[in-house]
Amino acid sequence: MKRLFDPATAVPALVSMAGGTLFAVLFLHAETQSAVMGLTLGAVIALFLLARFGWNARATASFAGHGRVAQGSVLAGVLIVTAVFHDQHFPLLMLATVLLYIVVCLGLNLQLGYAGVVNFAGAAFFGIGCYTAAVLTNHTSLPHLAVVFVGGLMAAGIGSLLILPVLRTYGHYAALITIAFGILFRVFLEVNDALGGPQGMKLPGMQILGWKLNDSLQFGGTEISFYANYVLLALAMAAIAFTLVRRLERSWIGLNLDAVRLDETACAAFGIDVARWKITAFTLGNFLAGLAGSVYAMMTGFVAPNSFTFGDSLILVSIVILGGIGNPWGLSVAAAIVLMLPEKLQFIQEYRLLLYAGLVILILLFKPGGLMPRQVRNYLPGWKP
Amino acid sequence: MSTLLACDSLSMRFGGLVALDQLSLAVNEGEILGLIGPNGSGKTTFFNVITGIYQANEGRVDYLGHDLARMSAQEIYRAGVTRTFQRSRLCLPLSIFDNLMIGNHRRLDHNLWFNLFRRAAFQAQFEEQYAKARELVRTFSASLAERLFEAAGSVNMIDRRRIEICRALISQPTLLLLDEPSAGMTQEETRELMDDILIVREHMPGLAIIIIEHEMNVIERITERCIVLNYGQKICEGPYARVAADPQVQEAYLGTE
Amino acid sequence: MTLGLLSQYVFNGLMLGMIYAMVAVGFTLFFGVLDVIKFSHGDVLMVGAFTGLATYLGLQAAGADSPLAQLLVMTLVATLSMALLGALIAKYLVLPLRLAPPLNTLLITLMLGSVLREVVRLFYPQGSNPKPYPRLLPADFVSFGSFTLRADSMILLLAGLAAIVAVHLLITRTKLGLAIRAVAQDAETARIMGINFEFIVLLTFAIGSGMAALGGLMNGLYYNEVNFGMGLLLGVIGFSAAVIGGLGNIYGAILGGFLFSALQSVGAVTLPALFPGTSTAYKDVFAFAVVIVFMAWRPTGLIAEKKSERV
């Protein structure tokens, strides 16, 4: 089937992206609390009005029909924001963090949103990646790209120790196991002096094939913050993870995962190996978390046990639910909001967990599909029978 | 006609309750067999046992050289046995096409590399399966065949029943188990459904069907042979007319004076 | 290992086991009645403890200072208010999600637990610091050589035992208990038989939460301290205990509670002996690791969980 690029219908998507990018720039730039509050309120009102006038529906359809345009424009948007803040550490660090969290949440989404496998230790698996990177960079001379990969493997490997109870039919067993594991992990880190104890460990910056990511760049006459390097790396990781997870969803495997989540008895009756797909989702998801963790540790140069608490795992789960469980775009937007809002609106920092937990409760009661509910599976976008 | 499935002294107990009691029966290749009996006589339990949902306490089920009583549900499906359920088990948030493809599992390629990276080949397989699914659904309802990418939850109950039957047919099974397919339907809808099943069967020579029903018109019209269960045992067997006249059967349904 | 030290360990273990058992019984009751795991249960315990504390402070300010009276009022207020909280949770969060995928109920109660925790941390004065709990129980003890029997431990143990026995009698000997068991077995039939489903559910949640409050008070009185995070660990332990004993089974829950405590004691004693230098914090790691392994081996617990799906 030939896919015709119809420019007219791509316009709403492009316009929306432009608007979003502009908002991101303004938001990150805002210094005073009142400016930030104003922008936030303005955005909420604007979205509400746009929904009223049917724009949101048109933009969504436009995004759905032009996958490549959507992805390209998002990439462009991120690059634009990076360029605007090229000399400021903090916005770039935040941007890179958001992108890495998107990778983690994509993995969590595979587990929770597709296969229905509960995982309340997302932060712990992320932490496994972090600590693996810390240990390997400090005690071995393994190239950093390999370190990242090993971080992912460690997370997946340790996760597989939990797999048997996780496979049990009732979700609460998996919930219990993963919560217990998360607590266990943190206690283990705190009492273990070889891993730095409660103070944690330091890490050197990342180096890929001679490219030292902790060195700032010179472009023309301007100095670019070294975090831009990490933004680019994180962007590449997020883009690849996103594409892979979406392709997975748009395939027979995605179908198997959904079937496993929705009705295990029917699965068995039609030959679907429930255990295999739960294991696949759980392992892949943890692998992604470990990968992101390794890069994050090298970026921040530091790991400590109290970054990987149960509360952090809950925030990850909140991102997946708020965004629209099963929807990778939704979770990306949610990740950006959940991570950036408290950084800018200082007064809600303290109330983060309360706020997100409360929002999730409201969503589950009134709009369980999330803010951007998942659509019916579209195996081949643009394909017409 | 040769024997397709033969179960021998099949027993199934749930604690103190004996659901199947040394049951022995046979299904012939290509036949349409009615399985009837009062409520609680073990008909659905029989289906659940031979499809691997429950594990029998005793007995064997011979089928094309396998013993179904020792196999997992997935293995039994791959051996060509499919079913519908008494209570509708569609994945409502998924599209109709998705639900059909769940039934089509063994005809699809589930390899990770194939699904992620060989997209051209995937597209070819997708288009082929879509065409097959559409043609199958069209036998039952032309309008439904054009709505394959809508959510299964958005269609009415009769269409959902049709989808479930198509899901069981799409992998071209050798033995199809229908559990009260006409429940909740009018006479007209039931007749239409049964006719459609017969049409599909014409394209699948060798397909045997066991049908559990309480609607005796259906049994009378389309089955060649019936087996009557009561308290987990076979109490009568033969063409419908003979079975309906059997005093033991009448007593099982109606009781004694 | 002197007899005195041993007796300390034993009592400590029994005390903890009792508290875990009380939490576990709550979990098992909720699961039995609604097939629901109320993850916020541990945090309800914590709120109960804090409610008791607040009541005590209020009573002190009002001038009432008889320890017995304070104890009674604290118990009454904490238990009743948590019972009310439990019923509200059931009515507004759990029952509405009855038809949604079970995952949603799991998530909502988990999030609620977080909300309770954060509310106490943020809004109770100095909530993020551990708070001292009043010593309201008699401090006397009896010595048999080096074996000491503390009066407060005895009282708490007896109180806990009494609570569990009371719940057991309620469930097995009263008409109300019969209704609860009927709903747990088959909600639909129970309704047809005239049992008010919603009322029973609310009542069950109230009972379970009231017991949690009691457990919270006991915890506070025994350790003379409470903190906002105590509910999380206790909740996870209580849930583990309920699972070990087989979800839905009250005796199993009680058994599981004491088993978990025993595991912790074993870990606390043997690990430093086997690997000198290991801190006693490893006892939790040990106990949870055993739970995880156990669940891999016997996921439905020692006494099988009830199954209820009709295919």
Side-chain angles (χ1 to χ4, degrees):
Chain A
M1 303 287 141
K2 267 190 24 203
R3 234 184 298 167
L4 297 163
F5 179 71
D6 180 6
T9 55
V11 166
L14 288 168
V15 171
S16 297
M17 269 319 301
T21 312
L22 181 63
F23 176 76
V25 169
L26 289 172
F27 188 78
L28 286 172
H29 193 76
E31 293 291 324
T32 63
Q33 292 291 278
S34 44
V36 174
M37 279 291 331
L39 271 174
T40 313
L41 281 171
V44 171
I45 295 174
L47 280 171
F48 188 66
L49 286 174
L50 286 173
R52 268 312 185 82
F53 287 105
W55 174 267
N56 286 359
R58 274 173 48 201
T60 316
S62 174
F63 269 111
H66 297 272
R68 292 265 165 80
V69 169
Q71 288 157 21
S73 57
V74 169
L75 283 173
V78 172
L79 290 171
I80 290 174
V81 173
T82 314
V84 169
F85 295 98
H86 61 267
D87 55 352
Q88 295 178 46
H89 291 310
F90 190 67
L92 291 183
L93 172 61
M94 261 217 288
L95 194 54
T97 306
V98 168
L99 288 167
L100 288 174
Y101 267 67
I102 287 177
V103 174
V104 180
C105 290
L106 282 171
L108 206 60
N109 186 45
L110 255 180
Q111 300 166 339
L112 194 66
Y114 295 154
V117 172
V118 172
N119 183 359
F120 288 116
F125 288 110
F126 182 73
I128 290 177
C130 291
Y131 268 86
T132 309
V135 168
L136 287 178
T137 52
N138 278 318
H139 298 293
T140 70
S141 51
L142 199 61
H144 288 177
L145 269 183
V147 168
V148 172
F149 195 66
V150 172
L153 287 178
M154 278 295 283
I158 294 180
S160 64
L161 294 176
L162 305 178
I163 200 68
L164 279 173
V166 164
L167 284 179
R168 294 304 146 190
T169 314
Y170 285 110
H172 48 257
Y173 291 122
L176 174 62
I177 289 293
T178 50
I179 295 177
F181 175 69
I183 296 178
L184 221 129
F185 178 69
R186 216 180 49 125
V187 171
F188 180 76
L189 289 175
E190 275 175 354
V191 298
N192 217 310
D193 284 321
L195 291 174
Q199 276 79 37
M201 291 171 82
K202 282 201 163 75
L203 289 97
M206 218 172 153
Q207 208 180 338
I208 305 178
L209 303 169
W211 173 33
K212 289 210 176 81
L213 278 82
N214 274 34
D215 285 350
S216 48
L217 309 162
Q218 293 278 4
F219 201 68
T222 42
E223 169 125 348
I224 302 180
S225 156
F226 72 93
Y227 281 118
N229 296 323
Y230 286 103
V231 169
L232 292 175
L233 178 63
L235 184 60
M237 285 173 72
I240 295 174
F242 195 93
T243 310
L244 282 179
V245 167
R246 280 240 295 192
R247 278 225 191 139
L248 203 68
E249 194 255 344
R250 291 182 164 156
S251 71
W252 306 133
I253 296 182
L255 176 61
N256 290 332
L257 294 176
D258 281 332
V260 163
R261 181 182 87 252
L262 291 169
D263 190 344
E264 287 186 28
T265 308
C267 277
F270 292 107
I272 298 177
D273 187 343
V274 172
R276 172 181 173 190
W277 298 114
K278 282 190 176 179
I279 293 175
T280 305
F282 192 64
T283 309
L284 262 177
N286 293 337
F287 178 72
L288 285 175
L291 276 182
S294 298
V295 175
Y296 183 77
M298 288 195 263
M299 177 173 79
T300 54
F302 178 70
V303 287
N306 64 2
S307 320
F308 313 115
T309 64
F310 179 59
D312 296 300
S313 292
L314 280 185
I315 291 192
L316 290 172
V317 171
S318 303
I319 291 176
V320 172
I321 298 175
L322 287 173
I325 193 159
N327 185 336
W329 282 122
L331 119 215
S332 305
V333 171
I337 297 176
V338 165
L339 288 170
M340 293 209 290
L341 207 60
E343 296 294 333
K344 280 299 195 176
L345 282 176
Q346 286 298 323
F347 72 87
I348 70 171
Q349 265 278 23
E350 265 298 281
Y351 301 92
R352 269 186 328 152
L353 196 47
L354 178 61
L355 178 66
Y356 298 139
L359 276 175
V360 170
I361 290 178
L362 289 174
I363 291 260
L364 286 173
L365 282 176
F366 302 116
K367 213 169 184 258
L371 293 172
M372 289 172 65
R374 184 182 171 197
Q375 305 296 311
V376 160
R377 177 172 294 105
N378 184 0
Y379 289 89
L380 303 163
W383 183 83
K384 293 271 185 295
Chain B
M1 265 207 291
S2 54
T3 310
L4 178 66
L5 177 144
C7 80
D8 180 31
S9 303
L10 200 60
S11 290
M12 182 75 220
R13 286 184 285 277
F14 297 105
L17 177 70
V18 180
L20 297 177
D21 193 358
Q22 305 273 320
L23 183 63
S24 298
L25 62 84
V27 182
N28 297 319
E29 226 179 88
E31 81 168 323
I32 303 187
L33 176 72
L35 189 62
I36 60 179
N39 274 321
S41 51
K43 309 184 293 294
T44 300
T45 307
F46 174 69
F47 273 13
N48 286 338
V49 169
I50 65 175
T51 52
I53 309 281
Y54 297 152
Q55 181 144 51
N57 297 111
E58 282 155 30
R60 42 181 302 122
V61 184
D62 286 308
Y63 172 83
L64 296 179
H66 309 282
D67 178 8
L68 298 184
R70 306 274 165 275
M71 290 162 71
S72 72
Q74 287 91 341
E75 288 168 334
I76 294 173
Y77 162 81
R78 283 196 287 277
V81 180
T82 63
R83 66 173 297 176
T84 63
F85 293 88
Q86 201 172 23
R87 290 172 63 183
S88 175
R89 293 193 91 104
L90 283 185
C91 297
L92 297 178
L94 301 183
S95 67
I96 297 173
F97 178 72
D98 277 352
N99 277 284
L100 294 172
M101 288 301 108
I102 289 175
N104 204 19
H105 186 261
R106 65 180 171 133
R107 308 267 174 221
L108 306 174
D109 195 329
H110 302 281
N111 181 274
L112 207 66
W113 188 264
F114 174 83
N115 282 278
L116 283 179
F117 300 115
R118 293 189 51 209
R119 292 304 278 186
F122 175 79
Q123 179 159 352
Q125 188 173 80
F126 169 81
E127 286 172 352
E128 181 192 339
Q129 297 305 329
Y130 175 75
K132 281 217 303 220
R134 189 151 159 271
E135 199 184 308
L136 178 62
V137 174
R138 220 180 351 190
T139 318
F140 290 84
S141 161
S143 62
L144 196 58
E146 303 311 314
R147 300 171 62 188
L148 288 189
F149 290 107
E150 288 177 35
S154 68
V155 299
N156 65 43
M157 195 215 81
I158 308 293
D159 279 334
R160 287 189 205 177
R161 191 64 62 70
R162 292 182 174 128
I163 297 168
E164 278 206 75
I165 292 175
C166 288
R167 181 177 69 175
L169 282 169
I170 193 159
S171 63
Q172 301 189 297
T174 321
L175 175 61
L176 170 67
L177 308 175
L178 295 174
D179 199 341
E180 294 188 41
S182 78
M185 291 192 190
T186 64
Q187 298 269 26
E188 183 59 49
E189 287 161 343
T190 304
R191 198 188 353 246
E192 211 184 300
L193 182 68
M194 291 305 145
D195 283 339
D196 294 334
I197 294 179
L198 290 176
I199 292 174
V200 173
R201 189 163 157 269
E202 278 169 34
H203 299 299
M204 293 192 211
L207 170 67
I209 304 180
I210 307 181
I211 175 165
I212 293 179
E213 257 304 339
H214 285 293
E215 186 58 56
M216 292 305 156
N217 295 334
V218 172
I219 299 287
E220 189 177 9
R221 195 163 73 90
I222 71 167
T223 65
E224 296 143 22
R225 191 166 70 100
C226 282
I227 289 180
V228 187
L229 293 187
N230 196 20
Y231 292 113
Q233 293 179 324
K234 179 173 69 176
I235 61 172
C236 190
E237 169 170 7
Y240 176 75
R242 191 192 334 148
V243 153
D246 186 295
Q248 236 193 329
V249 173
Q250 288 178 352
E251 186 185 323
Y253 271 101
L254 302 170
T256 46
E257 290 280 340
Chain C
M1 175 65 63
T2 65
L3 195 58
L5 200 58
L6 184 66
S7 72
Q8 268 238 55
Y9 269 115
V10 168
F11 258 94
N12 211 36
L14 282 177
M15 198 61 234
L16 272 180
M18 179 66 70
I19 295 177
Y20 296 157
M22 290 177 75
V23 181
V25 165
F27 272 112
T28 245
L29 273 176
F30 303 142
F31 185 79
V33 158
L34 259 194
D35 271 348
V36 143
I37 296 299
K38 185 168 148 276
F39 271 101
S40 49
H41 194 47
D43 299 292
V44 166
L45 179 151
M46 178 271 298
V47 175
F50 271 85
T51 310
L53 182 62
T55 313
Y56 169 77
L57 293 172
L59 287 172
Q60 283 286 82
D65 57 358
S66 141
L68 188 62
Q70 286 171 334
L71 206 55
L72 281 173
V73 174
M74 273 168 74
T75 309
L76 213 64
V77 171
T79 319
L80 287 177
S81 55
M82 288 310 104
L84 182 63
L85 179 62
L88 286 174
I89 292 174
K91 185 163 170 76
Y92 292 111
L93 290 185
V94 176
L95 276 175
L97 256 52
R98 226 164 72 239
L99 299 171
L103 182 67
N104 291 23
T105 311
L106 203 150
L107 286 166
I108 213 176
T109 54
L110 202 70
M111 294 295 159
L112 176 69
S114 286
V115 167
L116 290 173
R117 226 174 301 133
E118 290 296 297
V119 162
V120 170
R121 181 178 76 90
L122 293 166
F123 301 120
Y124 193 88
Q126 302 254 300
S128 38
N129 298 333
K131 306 233 144 284
Y133 225 72
R135 291 179 179 280
L136 291 171
L137 297 171
D140 333 288
F141 49 89
V142 182
S143 294
F144 300 98
S146 54
F147 185 88
T148 36
L149 213 63
R150 286 168 58 181
D152 55 359
S153 312
M154 287 307 303
I155 294 175
L156 287 174
L157 269 177
L158 288 173
L161 199 64
I164 291 182
V165 167
V167 168
H168 168 67
L169 288 176
L170 176 78
I171 298 282
T172 50
R173 299 283 172 87
T174 65
K175 213 162 157 213
L176 197 58
L178 189 61
I180 293 178
R181 279 184 288 144
V183 167
Q185 271 241 325
D186 187 337
E188 223 170 291
T189 311
R191 276 168 141 143
I192 296 175
M193 291 293 143
I195 294 177
N196 186 336
F197 176 72
E198 188 172 314
F199 174 70
I200 293 294
V201 169
L202 296 185
L203 187 71
T204 313
F205 271 68
I207 294 174
S209 305
M211 269 193 63
L214 217 57
L217 282 172
M218 284 167 60
N219 201 312
L221 289 168
Y222 188 66
Y223 291 108
N224 296 115
E225 186 182 274
V226 286
N227 76 80
F228 77 96
M230 65 196 263
L232 180 57
L233 192 61
L234 277 173
V236 175
I237 293 176
F239 183 28
S240 306
V243 164
I244 293 175
L247 275 175
N249 187 310
I250 292 191
Y251 305 112
I254 298 171
L255 178 66
F258 284 103
L259 260 176
F260 195 91
S261 167
L263 272 176
Q264 279 184 312
S265 304
V266 168
V269 170
T270 57
L271 282 179
L274 287 175
F275 309 102
T278 37
S279 101
T280 47
Y282 267 105
K283 73 176 189 329
D284 284 335
V285 176
F286 173 74
F288 277 124
V290 172
V291 168
I292 291 178
V293 167
F294 178 82
M295 280 181 58
W297 167 58
R298 203 81 192 264
T300 52
L302 291 169
I303 310 166
E305 177 184 320
K306 59 158 209 144
K307 278 252 186 203
S308 62
E309 234 227 312
R310 182 120 197 269
V311 177

